[in-house]
Amino acid sequence: MTSRISLLAAGLSVGLAGGLAALPVSTPASAAQAPMAPAAGVKMRSVKVTNACLDSVPEPGTTEKVKICYTLIKPAQASKRKKVPLIMHSHGWGGSRTSNPTSFEAFTKAGYGILSFDQRGFGESGGHAHVENPDIEGHDVRALVKLISKLKWVKKDRPGDPRIGAIGGSYGGGYQFLGAFEEIRVKGRQVFDALAPQITWHDLKESLAPSGVVRTEWALALAAAGLPTDALPPEIYKALAEGAATGVWPDGSVPGTEDLDAFFLKNGPKWQISQGRKLTIPVLFGQGMTDTLFSTEQGLRNWRKALTRKARRNSIFVGYNGGHTLPAIYPQGTGVASDPCSKQLGGGNFEQLSIRFFNEQLKHRKAKRKLTGYNRIHLATRDSQCVTSRNAQPTKTFALGTVVAQTGPSGPAVATEVAQGPITVAGSSFLTAEVTSAALEGRTFIGLAVGTTPLDAQLVQNNVLPLREATPVVGLKRKITIPAAAVTVPAGKSLFLIFSPSSETFAGMSSRTPGVITLDNTVLHLPVQAK
């Protein structure tokens, strides 16, 4: 352990909220974590609480079963005669299960049982975290579902098929997609009935290292938050430290380095989709517009690719200002935490919206739906308005001509005017251009911004993505993804596109030597909303 701590010493400067217990997450309505657990089998406020563990598959290369520990909360109204649906819950990376029933009081009062569990490598559970690998954590989730299916007070759709929903954010959103996809793979049908994942990923590698450029602070935070329970396999700590030190995602191509591509290959919806699987169940997405790890675009890709068309008709996408957030100092951004869309759709926060969603999807399937917003994407703007779109795809192009972006460890950001206000943009965006770069590892960081002039333009919702040219190129045609965003630009201000040589989210990942990247025939494709 000492060697691992020394490898990660630089990472401790990221300032994890609450020490090394968990990744820093700021959501308007994130899952509550309780500091104390009631004793096993004790009744509290008319609910029955049971703490226990089950045996799951051994760690790779071993034979000893791994314990997965959980808290089961039976609501007062549940019985063999009056069966109720159950909601599964799990924690974010570096956290542990919520065992205090008061944290789930809104759900139990609404007539739901709860099972909250420690994921492998965290809390009281054993083993190492393999970051939602179907071959390992997939077994853990399926074992818990099997346990739930044997509870006589839980509603069943058929033998072995309990009526279940799922909640949780970040890593606690990852297990939901894993569990739902794994039941399709193993049983050929859905067992989970509805999901409400928050601030989670589509492609884990692309989240941690878009275009192969490591999000330094988040890669180090991931490793550091796993240290207290020695959660990750030893070689993964080494690889994450290598990536943060070298600025390049370790893929095993350099002799003596680890292969993170192989470790993360199956760990998310992207791989499941590549195997021909899609979810047929309703999903209430909650994604952070200001999230600098699992960006809005990650959620939108799950919406577009992980669900069948029928499932989307019964699903809702909510983007709020929050998530895995860090201050945007350079390029300068604005900090905001708000959830106007949950309030507009459900009259409260995301948790209250999720209860109404589960009521319609788990309890009253045949009743006329009262909740609005299905089959739509609802995104919070940086000024806390809610913009609704059918698909949040680009609708309009803007020719920007030639843009010359500075590269190197320091230097000025370049802000190019796109359009004058009033204009509203909400959803996915990208650039097309002919790129020329003379240097090795030329890098610039791109994002949308708003201001009165290029000098005072500030990032929209604090996100940038890298344009990386690993080798010299001349006039190479590129399609470049830029951060999804939602913003209403008022009259008197303009929308800008910022190119910055550096970003603190990608600390130390700038080009090593000064230079420029030139983009000719640049066209910006934006999801402009009708007035």
Side-chain angles (χ1 to χ4, degrees):
M1 177 62 72
T2 302
S3 62
R4 261 172 266 167
I5 292 176
S6 63
L7 277 171
L8 295 165
L12 302 184
S13 64
V14 298
L16 294 177
L20 296 179
L23 292 182
V25 174
S26 171
T27 63
S30 58
Q33 296 292 324
M36 298 180 64
V42 173
K43 291 184 177 180
M44 294 184 64
R45 296 187 179 182
S46 300
V47 300
K48 183 179 180 181
V49 180
T50 302
N51 291 301
C53 304
L54 56 75
D55 289 334
S56 190
V57 294
E59 285 291 300
T62 69
T63 57
E64 184 179 355
K65 296 280 189 179
V66 170
K67 290 191 177 298
I68 302 299
C69 299
Y70 61 88
T71 296
L72 182 65
I73 304 172
K74 178 184 177 183
Q77 60 268 52
S79 67
K80 293 180 183 178
R81 292 186 176 182
K82 189 176 181 181
K83 302 178 189 297
V84 300
L86 184 136
I87 304 294
M88 290 185 70
H89 165 266
S90 197
H91 52 83
W93 182 263
S96 59
R97 74 186 191 267
T98 299
S99 51
N100 189 331
T102 59
S103 297
F104 298 108
E105 190 172 11
F107 285 93
T108 55
K109 281 187 174 181
Y112 293 100
I114 298 289
L115 186 143
S116 181
F117 70 100
D118 289 328
Q119 300 207 52
R120 182 177 290 243
F122 296 107
E124 295 180 319
S125 291
H128 288 297
H130 297 265
V131 200
E132 312 298 17
N133 187 302
D135 300 327
I136 303 171
E137 283 96 347
H139 283 272
D140 301 342
V141 179
R142 294 204 311 273
L144 290 164
V145 172
K146 184 176 180 180
L147 179 146
I148 294 166
S149 73
K150 295 180 179 180
L151 297 173
K152 295 181 179 179
W153 51 269
V154 172
K155 187 185 289 288
K156 315 286 192 309
D157 291 315
R158 59 175 66 87
D161 186 356
R163 183 77 61 84
I164 51 176
I167 60 173
S170 191
Y171 201 52
Y175 89 87
Q176 298 181 49
F177 283 112
L178 172 66
F181 275 116
E182 277 297 279
E183 294 291 357
I184 296 175
R185 183 182 69 83
V186 174
K187 296 185 176 180
R189 57 180 169 80
Q190 295 278 195
V191 175
F192 282 78
D193 296 283
L195 309 178
Q198 293 190 69
I199 54 173
T200 196
W201 68 90
H202 172 76
D203 179 348
L204 198 50
K205 174 189 173 181
E206 186 66 17
S207 295
L208 288 168
S211 302
V213 181
V214 179
R215 293 186 194 266
T216 327
E217 294 188 338
W218 288 121
L220 290 169
L222 175 72
L227 284 173
T229 58
D230 197 17
L232 285 164
E235 64 273 16
I236 303 307
Y237 286 103
K238 179 174 178 287
L240 289 169
E242 285 173 357
T246 65
V248 179
W249 182 254
D251 60 7
S253 59
V254 177
T257 63
E258 302 296 334
D259 186 356
L260 283 183
D261 278 0
F263 182 77
F264 287 123
L265 175 64
K266 297 181 179 180
N267 298 20
K270 180 181 179 181
W271 180 80
Q272 297 281 1
I273 296 162
S274 74
Q275 304 304 299
R277 292 185 276 274
K278 286 196 174 188
L279 301 184
T280 60
I281 57 175
V283 180
L284 171 63
F285 291 84
Q287 205 73 20
M289 302 299 297
T290 52
D291 197 308
T292 56
L293 175 59
F294 301 142
S295 66
T296 306
E297 187 62 32
Q298 290 287 303
L300 289 172
R301 289 179 184 178
N302 281 334
W303 170 270
R304 293 166 184 152
K305 298 180 179 183
L307 306 184
T308 64
R309 184 176 297 179
K310 182 178 179 181
R312 275 196 300 275
R313 287 200 294 267
N314 294 304
S315 299
I316 301 171
F317 190 104
V318 171
Y320 46 65
N321 290 310
H324 306 84
T325 58
L326 294 169
I329 300 170
Y330 191 81
Q332 187 177 4
T334 54
V336 59
S338 64
D339 185 8
C341 297
S342 289
K343 185 176 181 180
Q344 178 175 300
L345 295 172
N349 59 27
F350 190 86
E351 180 184 88
Q352 292 165 326
L353 176 62
S354 68
I355 292 174
R356 291 189 60 182
F357 176 75
F358 286 133
N359 286 345
E360 293 193 351
Q361 301 300 335
L362 300 180
K363 286 185 175 182
H364 309 301
R365 292 175 170 177
K366 295 182 181 180
K368 183 178 179 180
R369 295 195 304 210
K370 296 181 180 179
L371 196 60
T372 62
Y374 285 102
N375 199 26
R376 294 291 186 274
I377 296 166
H378 312 273
L379 304 179
T381 67
R382 74 170 194 167
D383 58 348
S384 299
Q385 301 299 310
C386 183
V387 178
T388 295
S389 172
R390 180 177 288 274
N391 57 31
Q393 296 274 28
T395 59
K396 192 172 182 179
T397 59
F398 297 83
L400 304 182
T402 297
V403 177
V404 179
Q406 298 284 334
T407 65
S410 62
V414 175
T416 299
E417 187 177 49
V418 175
Q420 295 180 349
I423 184 174
T424 297
V425 171
S428 303
S429 303
F430 65 90
L431 284 172
T432 53
E434 297 164 7
V435 179
T436 298
S437 176
L440 291 172
E441 289 296 346
R443 300 175 180 186
T444 186
F445 300 90
I446 309 171
L448 293 172
V450 173
T452 55
T453 71
L455 296 177
D456 66 10
Q458 294 187 346
L459 279 177
V460 174
Q461 295 165 321
N462 293 3
N463 258 301
V464 294
L465 280 174
L467 165 59
R468 174 197 180 198
E469 296 299 344
T471 59
V473 296
V474 177
L476 185 64
K477 291 184 178 180
R478 290 285 197 200
K479 179 180 177 181
I480 306 157
T481 300
I482 66 173
V487 61
T488 296
V489 182
K493 292 190 175 182
S494 293
L495 183 68
F496 292 89
L497 192 62
I498 280 186
F499 296 80
S500 175
S502 62
S503 163
E504 70 275 1
T505 303
F506 298 88
M509 299 298 107
S510 302
S511 302
R512 299 301 193 243
T513 57
V516 298
I517 293 178
T518 303
L519 294 87
D520 290 312
N521 298 317
T522 307
V523 178
L524 178 59
H525 303 250
L526 289 178
V528 176
Q529 303 300 303
K531 295 180 180 179

